[in-house]
Amino acid sequence: MRIRRRSFGDFVKAFFAFVALAVLLVGVPGALATQIGWPLPDGVPSFDWLQQEITVHTFLNILTVIVWLAWAQFTACVLVEMKAALSGVGVPGRVPGAGPSQLLARQLVAALLLVGATAASFTPGLSQLGNSYDANQKPTVAAAQATPGLFAQQQEQASGAAAALAEQASHAATHADAGGSTAKQGDTKYYRIQPPEGRHHDSLWEIAQRHLGDGRRYKEIFELNKDRVQPDGSKLSEASLIRPGWIMEMPGDARGGDLVEMPDEAPNVSPDVQQQIGDYAQTGDHAPGGGGSGAQSGGGSGAQGGGHEHAGGGATQVSVPDQQRPAHDTGHQQATAVGAESDSSFGLPEALLTAPLLAAGLLGALGRRRRQALWQSAFGAVGGRRGMEPPTPSGDAQDVQDALLVGADPEGVRLLDRSLRGLAASLAEESRALPVVYAAWLSNGDLHLQLAQPAGKPPAPWQQGQDQTFWMLSRTDAERYEDVDTAAPYPGLVSLGTMDDSRLLLNLEAVPGIVSLSGREADRAAVFASVAAELATNGWSDRMTITLVGFGEDLTPLAPNRIRHLEDVEALVEAMEAETRQRRGALGAAGHDSVLTGRTGPAQHTRWAPHLVLLAAQPSAEDAVTLAELAADASRLGIGYLVGTETGDLPGAAWEMEITGEGKLLAPLLGLELDAQLLPLAQQRAVVELFVEADPERESDGPATTPPFLVDISEQGRPAVYARLVGPYEIIGLDTPDGERSALLHEALALLLLHREGVHPRVLSSALWPRGVTDDVRSALLDRLRIWLGTDPDGTPRLGRDASGRLTLAKTVVSDLDVLRSLYHEATQGKGVDSRAVRGRLLTDALVLVRGPLLADRPEGRYRWLTHEIVDAQLPLLVADTGLALCEFHMEKNRAEKAIEALRAALRTAPADERLWHELLRATHSTGDSERLTELATDLIGRSGARGLPPRTEALLDELLPTWRDAIAATG
């Protein structure tokens, strides 16, 4: 029982709301019935009724019917809003076709109930008009836990808190002596956190908003109550962690008597609660041994034992999952921790060093773009041959590329993707729908999904987390997942930042409304660029569409097939209105209630692709209302909206976030304070430059076929150290190191040999130790590598550094790949151009160097950095070009057998190159042996498998051997 203090204005609003509702609900039908009567005919109309003359009375009857329908719709809206208010659901799903009618009903019901018993639970939802959930999606509030605790402790603490709360509500006693109060008697006010039954959960932000007039004053409440013992024995250690039944001392200027309890002026408050308030008043600075300092060290343990804390009234609380931390960090967290050391970044952009998922997506997309450019140049898809080497970046682009190599966590992306798809496949096997997921947390390699509401027991190997709204998958279980052929279930997940070594991915697609982002323009732009870049390149999304409005036109090179740019809000509204109608109709026709059910059906790969809209500039008031209406049902349709705002006040914003100048991403109502993931303008431009330079359609500024490093292929150019990489790895000219160091030194040398332009020390260490390593270990390895390589006769170290500090090898350290490139270059662009004999000798020598694939005998588990390289695409193309050039050389003199020999040697390294097979068919045809040609065609068909021969190959066979189909059929 609590004292209800209402202002005069509340009663005035309630009175007028009551009058308006009475007029609309009772007066309108009464007036229609008495003044006009029932407009419809009394009996079944005949055919003659359609031939009667249309009179004024007919029009009046039609208008009356319309008014009756409008009244019925408004009455339905009032009933729906009243039911939601009394049940605590909040703002319900919209009545079909209601629009302004439901908005009016919502405001009138809220004003009427503002002085009623349910006002405290209903009015928070009114601050975010347009924030509507589906009827079956009740917002669930989970714990915002800064320091994860133990599962057993969480359950025990949560059960104890519930029992204590029930006991507080049922007991009665009298005691209100606040002798140790921190303020004068009569000025000190207290507020008891209310239970969540029938209402949203409370948060310090909302308490400050209601009773202090400014939600940002929540810090004052936090400071007054920090580390003070609560009735259930726990303490407030984090501003986002509050529990039902806790007592909060309020600042003296707090207002709102219906929610603020003062012991001496609240005789109707249960005596037991008065006793608790009195005892609580004696804690804090006035308690024996009390004070804030000691509690700081205990805050972590208190948080661990806090169990399931409730927060976030009127909004969904995104919370850090509880878990037991291992004794030492594992996975990519160690690698990023190295970046935090004072002297270990070497000037690389920290924004990308600390964004492992974003960096992995960008790096993977960049590698695919470069491979595409190689293949298109090799097969003549673009005008002019651009050569085998992609442009070597320099300046900021080089720094950004190194930061991507260091910061990327491709294994984390792979596990996340497989885990989500595996979950979808398991649920489909059990004929269960995908649950709505608001967020995902990655912590120490484990994946936690935060659900919008309980969804039952998760399928194995998933486990239930700290409560029924958390599903957890350990890294060990995730590694057992294999690739499955299913659509990505949650493609809208995107990284926002980290909190206490946990990385948050927010599901923008599932937000029931608009997500707003306030802050300075430059800071907002860095967040938007990061979100857009990750969505465009991540590995856990299928058929993603990202619409950038008013910004980011230069980001389209990252993923031209995913990113769409619109100039203004008007174009956006026009496009989204059409798409919203289309998706609603498609869902209805397919019999689905949301895109999540469609993603587990038979049409999962062709339908329900996500669409995320990023609008950086604040829209006008009219446009904001229109966007709010479009976003009200967007989560069901697979559409998400992230909108920037200068003031922080955006109509229809379901979740509100703010980016500060210090790089903090704040969302008080969600209980979040993250170290934001950003992509500042300088890094954004450098990333785009990497993609533009790798664009296969880009006009070449000049010949780019010269390798970055050419060796002296004469007798005088004999190297001091020679490494054979094309085939089994061998080193000539150096002693084999002893012990475990040998494998690391060999791998480090291979990386340096493949990057003659120089390797950043951080790139080298992250390649050798993907899980991270300390500076002293890296320095020790570099010292051993420098000693192992030794010096040239003139005393120059064979391992040096360039002006930027990158590690480089001396020209006396050479690999067979360097020689192969140099021989092919000299044969096709050097001395071989003018001398046929020289060209033949050089091409023959080059093909002799090919002994197999690159580093053919590398040990399992090592050289994982090769997945970031494109040498696996460069080497087969280089070998194929060499074989084709040598084939041409021999065919000029009609030496078909020599040409066939050269082509078959090249096919051993490049068996999938269609050009080699075509020339082999032509060379074989030139021998005049049709039987041999038929055998070759049979071999080709066997290699092609179920896909069949490529069209160009079939066309060539039709030209060279018109009867090949019959001949092959005859041979079986």
Side-chain angles (χ1 to χ4, degrees):
M1 297 179 294
R2 296 182 294 161
I3 295 177
R4 303 289 181 179
R5 299 290 179 85
R6 309 171 183 85
S7 67
F8 178 73
D10 293 336
F11 285 101
V12 172
K13 293 178 181 178
F15 173 75
F16 283 111
F18 175 78
V19 172
L21 287 172
V23 170
L24 294 173
L25 296 180
V26 181
V28 170
L32 290 173
T34 57
Q35 300 300 320
I36 299 178
W38 187 248
L40 298 179
D42 297 331
V44 178
S46 64
F47 182 77
D48 295 337
W49 180 76
L50 298 175
Q51 298 177 342
Q52 294 179 2
E53 182 181 0
I54 298 177
T55 63
V56 175
H57 183 70
T58 305
F59 279 110
L60 289 177
N61 283 344
I62 294 174
L63 292 176
T64 305
V65 171
I66 294 175
V67 174
W68 274 109
L69 293 175
W71 171 82
Q73 184 188 60
F74 179 76
T75 302
C77 293
V78 172
L79 294 176
V80 169
E81 296 295 332
M82 186 71 74
K83 179 181 181 297
L86 295 177
S87 64
V89 172
V91 183
R94 296 188 301 176
V95 175
S101 296
Q102 187 168 5
L103 181 61
L104 175 61
R106 183 179 302 165
Q107 292 172 335
L108 292 176
V109 170
L112 180 61
L113 296 184
L114 189 61
V115 296
T118 62
S121 65
F122 183 73
T123 53
L126 296 177
S127 62
Q128 299 185 34
L129 294 176
N131 175 6
S132 63
Y133 293 78
D134 290 340
N136 63 342
Q137 296 178 4
K138 295 184 180 180
T140 301
V141 179
Q145 186 72 29
T147 306
L150 303 177
F151 287 113
Q153 290 178 344
Q154 297 158 5
Q155 297 170 355
E156 181 180 353
Q157 293 279 350
S159 301
L165 183 61
E167 185 178 358
Q168 294 164 9
S170 60
H171 284 70
T174 57
H175 182 72
D177 182 15
S181 175
T182 59
K184 294 181 180 180
Q185 188 68 25
D187 290 337
T188 305
K189 303 176 183 180
Y190 297 89
Y191 173 70
R192 188 162 65 92
I193 308 301
Q194 298 302 306
E197 290 81 9
R199 52 166 299 161
H200 293 300
H201 305 279
D202 257 333
S203 71
L204 292 185
W205 178 281
E206 286 201 334
I207 295 171
Q209 184 70 38
R210 292 197 300 268
H211 308 302
L212 299 176
D214 187 354
R216 290 172 293 185
R217 293 185 62 187
Y218 77 93
K219 295 182 180 179
E220 298 178 30
I221 305 176
F222 173 70
E223 292 298 330
L224 282 173
N225 299 275
K226 181 177 63 175
D227 302 316
R228 296 170 65 175
V229 179
Q230 293 290 338
D232 62 358
S234 55
K235 298 179 181 180
L236 174 67
S237 60
E238 295 289 339
S240 58
L241 308 183
I242 59 176
R243 300 172 60 182
W246 280 9
I247 309 298
M248 292 289 114
E249 181 177 339
M250 302 290 291
D253 61 340
R255 296 293 181 266
D258 56 331
L259 297 176
V260 179
E261 301 173 347
M262 297 167 286
D264 291 344
E265 300 178 15
N268 293 328
V269 174
S270 67
D272 197 31
V273 173
Q274 291 189 23
Q275 173 73 41
Q276 293 172 2
I277 295 176
D279 294 342
Y280 185 76
Q282 301 180 34
T283 63
D285 293 338
H286 301 276
S293 60
Q296 291 293 339
S297 61
S301 60
Q304 287 183 354
H308 181 214
E309 319 290 356
H310 294 288
T316 300
Q317 181 82 9
V318 178
S319 58
V320 180
D322 295 338
Q323 69 173 38
Q324 183 175 2
R325 288 187 182 273
H328 60 279
D329 288 337
T330 60
H332 194 74
Q333 280 69 26
Q334 282 190 355
T336 56
V338 177
E341 297 170 1
S342 60
D343 61 344
S344 60
S345 67
F346 293 101
L348 296 183
E350 290 289 342
L352 292 171
L353 291 177
T354 56
L357 303 184
L358 169 61
L362 289 171
L363 196 60
L366 181 61
R368 290 189 295 271
R369 182 71 56 83
R370 287 174 172 171
R371 285 181 174 86
Q372 183 183 8
L374 282 174
W375 292 329
Q376 289 195 17
S377 66
F379 287 89
V382 294
R385 184 63 187 272
R386 294 179 56 192
M388 307 308 302
E389 302 297 330
T392 301
S394 60
D396 291 342
Q398 187 177 18
D399 290 339
V400 162
Q401 178 173 279
D402 287 339
L404 293 177
L405 289 167
V406 175
D409 183 16
E411 180 67 11
V413 172
R414 185 182 66 86
L415 290 179
L416 175 62
D417 183 33
R418 285 186 174 182
S419 300
L420 295 176
R421 295 180 195 267
L423 173 63
S426 299
L427 290 173
E429 290 177 0
E430 299 177 7
S431 298
R432 296 171 60 185
L434 288 168
V436 177
V437 170
Y438 279 152
W441 290 94
L442 288 172
S443 183
N444 296 323
D446 298 338
L447 174 61
H448 303 254
L449 297 182
Q450 185 169 350
L451 313 184
Q453 61 182 10
K457 182 180 179 180
W462 290 77
Q463 302 175 7
Q464 187 169 292
Q466 60 202 54
D467 59 35
Q468 294 182 354
T469 62
F470 269 95
W471 286 2
M472 185 197 74
L473 181 69
S474 68
R475 184 184 182 94
T476 304
D477 291 331
E479 290 173 346
R480 299 193 185 104
Y481 268 120
E482 300 292 338
D483 292 329
V484 293
D485 183 22
T486 187
Y490 304 112
L493 287 169
V494 64
S495 303
L496 291 184
T498 57
M499 181 167 66
D500 297 321
D501 295 331
S502 295
R503 183 169 302 278
L504 170 67
L505 289 88
L506 191 66
N507 191 3
L508 292 177
E509 183 190 28
V511 177
I514 292 175
V515 179
S516 68
L517 178 65
S518 60
R520 296 185 309 178
E521 183 178 359
D523 298 326
R524 294 202 317 265
V527 174
F528 273 90
S530 171
V531 170
E534 184 169 299
L535 289 173
T537 60
N538 74 58
W540 56 88
S541 298
D542 292 332
R543 300 176 60 243
M544 169 77 68
T545 299
I546 308 151
T547 297
L548 309 180
V549 185
F551 85 104
E553 186 176 6
D554 54 341
L555 291 174
T556 53
L558 300 184
N561 295 330
R562 283 193 180 187
I563 297 179
R564 176 178 65 171
H565 179 264
L566 297 178
E567 291 295 336
D568 49 37
V569 181
E570 288 75 16
L572 172 68
V573 170
E574 180 180 356
M576 298 312 299
E577 284 179 343
E579 182 169 344
T580 300
R581 288 193 302 269
Q582 180 183 7
R583 290 199 175 212
R584 283 175 179 164
L587 279 178
H592 296 304
D593 57 353
S594 74
V595 296
L596 288 180
T597 56
R599 284 184 185 149
T600 55
Q604 55 180 292
H605 290 292
T606 58
R607 307 171 81 173
W608 325 124
H611 186 175
L612 300 176
V613 176
L614 307 182
L615 174 58
Q618 179 167 348
S620 65
E622 181 180 355
D623 290 334
V625 173
T626 303
L627 289 175
E629 293 175 353
L630 288 171
D633 196 30
S635 61
R636 188 175 68 92
L637 305 176
I639 303 174
Y641 292 85
L642 178 61
V643 181
T645 172
E646 298 176 358
T647 61
D649 184 16
L650 188 68
W655 294 351
E656 297 177 346
M657 299 186 297
E658 176 188 0
I659 179 66
T660 68
E662 293 75 30
K664 294 289 185 179
L665 189 66
L666 309 178
L669 291 182
L670 301 178
L672 295 177
E673 184 173 340
L674 305 171
D675 293 323
Q677 179 173 294
L678 306 173
L679 186 59
L681 182 60
Q683 282 81 58
Q684 174 186 334
R685 289 174 175 170
V687 167
V688 172
E689 180 183 341
L690 289 174
F691 279 79
V692 170
E693 289 291 328
D695 186 1
E697 305 295 335
R698 190 177 69 91
E699 292 287 339
S700 179
D701 296 333
T705 59
T706 302
F709 176 72
L710 292 174
V711 300
D712 185 356
I713 57 177
S714 66
E715 286 295 329
Q716 292 75 22
R718 184 178 297 274
V721 178
Y722 182 66
R724 305 177 73 182
L725 304 179
V726 184
Y729 191 4
E730 299 176 12
I731 298 179
I732 302 172
L734 292 177
D735 296 330
T736 302
D738 297 329
E740 299 177 355
R741 302 172 183 174
S742 177
L744 280 174
L745 292 175
H746 277 73
E747 188 173 356
L749 179 57
L751 178 61
L752 291 169
L753 285 168
L754 292 176
H755 290 277
R756 303 304 303 232
E757 74 277 9
V759 177
H760 197 286
R762 287 290 304 276
V763 173
L764 179 66
S765 63
S766 65
L768 300 180
W769 295 282
R771 295 181 180 272
V773 71
T774 58
D775 282 348
D776 55 344
V777 173
R778 179 178 61 239
S779 299
L781 174 76
L782 293 180
D783 290 339
R784 294 189 186 102
L785 182 60
R786 187 175 292 108
I787 294 173
W788 181 46
L789 292 176
T791 60
D792 286 333
D794 60 357
T796 303
R798 292 174 181 149
L799 178 64
R801 291 179 183 263
D802 62 11
S804 64
R806 288 174 171 80
L807 302 170
T808 58
L809 291 174
K811 292 184 177 181
T812 54
V813 182
V814 173
S815 72
D816 55 355
L817 184 57
D818 297 327
V819 177
L820 176 61
R821 287 169 172 158
S822 301
L823 288 171
Y824 176 76
H825 174 76
E826 191 68 23
T828 56
Q829 300 183 44
K831 297 178 180 178
V833 175
D834 300 323
S835 173
R836 171 181 166 80
V838 172
R839 181 168 73 254
R841 178 175 55 81
L842 293 176
L843 291 173
T844 302
D845 291 346
L847 209 54
V848 170
L849 294 175
V850 181
R851 301 175 298 122
L854 187 75
L855 298 168
D857 59 348
R858 59 180 180 268
E860 184 178 357
R862 304 211 63 88
Y863 297 85
R864 292 182 177 178
W865 46 270
L866 281 173
T867 59
H868 300 316
E869 306 285 340
I870 63 170
V871 66
D872 61 332
Q874 288 176 286
L875 179 59
L877 289 176
L878 177 60
V879 173
D881 277 0
T882 304
L884 291 171
L886 188 55
C887 171
E888 181 183 3
F889 171 80
H890 288 304
M891 290 302 294
E892 289 176 355
K893 297 295 185 179
N894 295 321
R895 295 197 292 261
E897 295 297 336
K898 289 288 186 180
I900 292 173
E901 182 182 351
L903 292 170
R904 290 199 176 276
L907 280 168
R908 286 193 287 270
T909 299
D913 197 309
E914 188 179 351
R915 299 172 302 161
L916 290 175
W917 289 105
H918 289 175
E919 293 305 316
L920 184 58
L921 287 171
R922 292 188 178 98
T924 305
H925 176 264
S926 67
T927 63
D929 190 343
S930 59
E931 183 178 351
R932 187 176 178 184
L933 185 59
T934 302
E935 292 177 356
L936 180 57
T938 305
D939 186 23
L940 267 175
I941 292 175
R943 291 174 179 271
S944 63
R947 296 176 301 173
L949 292 175
R952 287 184 293 186
T953 305
E954 284 193 359
L956 182 59
L957 278 174
D958 289 336
E959 175 188 347
L960 301 179
L961 187 63
T963 60
W964 67 275
R965 290 181 176 85
D966 297 334
I968 292 175
T971 60

